[in-house]
Amino acid sequence: VNIDEKGYCLTDTGRLYGSTVPVIGGIRNLVENLNMDLRDVMIMASLNPAKVYGANQKGSLEVGKCADIIICDDDINVITTVIDGNVVV
C-alpha cells in the first residue's frame, strides 16, 4: 500500500484504492453519520457480499452455515471474533 502526501491510498501503478478503512469502520460510519439502521448495515456488510461472491456458507447465521460472527460493544467496536464457531480474538 502506498499513501501519497494527500493521504490517498494508491496501488503500485498510482491508481486509487477504494478505501483503507476497515469494514467495521465503514459500518460505524454508516450508522453514526448517516443514521442507518445497524441491522440493514450488517446485511450490507455480510450477507450481500457473501451472495455476490458465491460464499454460500457465509453471510448469515443459519443451520449448516459457518459460525463466523463478530461481537461489538455499543460503540460498534469489535470485542470478540468467532470463526467456524471458534473464538479467535
Side-chain angles (χ1 to χ4, degrees):
V1 174
N2 302 302
I3 300 176
D4 72 7
E5 65 281 349
K6 294 181 182 177
Y8 293 110
C9 184
L10 308 173
T11 66
D12 289 335
T13 61
R15 294 183 69 160
L16 183 65
Y17 272 114
S19 177
T20 57
V21 175
V23 172
I24 196 68
I27 291 168
R28 188 180 310 107
N29 184 42
L30 292 172
V31 172
E32 292 178 356
N33 297 317
L34 297 180
N35 298 313
M36 293 182 69
D37 181 72
L38 180 59
R39 181 181 174 95
D40 293 338
V41 174
M42 293 308 294
I43 290 170
M44 291 167 48
S46 59
L47 183 58
N48 291 351
K51 286 180 178 179
V52 167
Y53 292 106
N56 299 325
Q57 298 301 312
K58 309 255 184 211
S60 62
L61 292 176
E62 297 177 44
V63 174
K65 288 190 169 187
C66 299
D68 295 351
I69 63 171
I70 59 169
I71 299 171
C72 297
D73 63 17
D74 290 339
D75 295 320
I76 313 177
N77 297 302
V78 177
I79 56 174
T80 304
T81 301
V82 179
I83 299 176
D84 290 325
N86 299 304
V87 175
V88 295
V89 175

